[in-house]
Amino acid sequence: MDISTLQQRLRQFAADRDWQPYQTPKNLAMAMTVEAAELLEIFQWLTPEQSLDLSDDQRRHLGEELSDVLLYLVQIADHGGVDLDAAVERKLAMNAIKHPASKS
């Protein structure tokens, strides 16, 4: 997945619908939170075992909700001026230092 191409596509999608005035980081973060809640709803009453063995319909729905969260996240980064590639690499490096692998 090419994040910058996806951001361009999302910018164009919003422009084609005159959504730019509403595409603020605050509004996008709020919308992403709503979508994250819909993602949680899929697993709400499942046991841990059931959550690992979703039906085809549940897996399709999961993909839709994950996509919604991802699309909002990518837009927040775009409007917030965050280079997601660089931010992810930096965070992974920080996590490796904070949580070193155990030597077994």
Side-chain angles (χ1 to χ4, degrees):
M1 177 184 315
D2 182 341
I3 298 294
S4 62
T5 299
L6 180 55
Q7 287 172 323
Q8 290 170 343
R9 289 177 63 192
L10 290 167
R11 273 186 240 124
Q12 187 62 53
F13 187 89
D16 290 346
R17 291 153 181 81
D18 297 320
W19 288 354
Q20 301 95 323
Y22 313 104
Q23 300 274 305
T24 65
K26 177 193 83 65
N27 287 348
L28 293 166
M30 291 171 63
M32 186 184 72
T33 301
V34 170
E35 295 301 336
E38 291 179 14
L39 175 63
L40 283 172
E41 189 175 29
I42 295 168
F43 299 106
Q44 185 173 12
W45 303 114
L46 300 181
T47 65
E49 295 77 20
Q50 290 170 324
S51 73
L52 293 168
D53 188 29
L54 299 177
S55 70
D56 289 343
D57 283 344
Q58 288 171 314
R59 196 173 324 287
R60 178 193 48 75
H61 187 198
L62 176 62
E64 291 167 358
E65 299 306 337
L66 287 169
S67 296
D68 285 338
V69 171
L70 176 65
L71 293 173
Y72 280 120
L73 178 71
V74 167
Q75 290 178 87
I76 294 165
D78 188 30
H79 290 275
V82 172
D83 177 341
L84 271 179
D85 287 327
V88 166
E89 289 302 323
R90 181 172 181 269
K91 187 63 177 180
L92 286 171
M94 290 169 57
N95 286 348
I97 293 168
K98 184 177 180 180
H99 307 286
S102 61
K103 296 177 182 177
S104 326

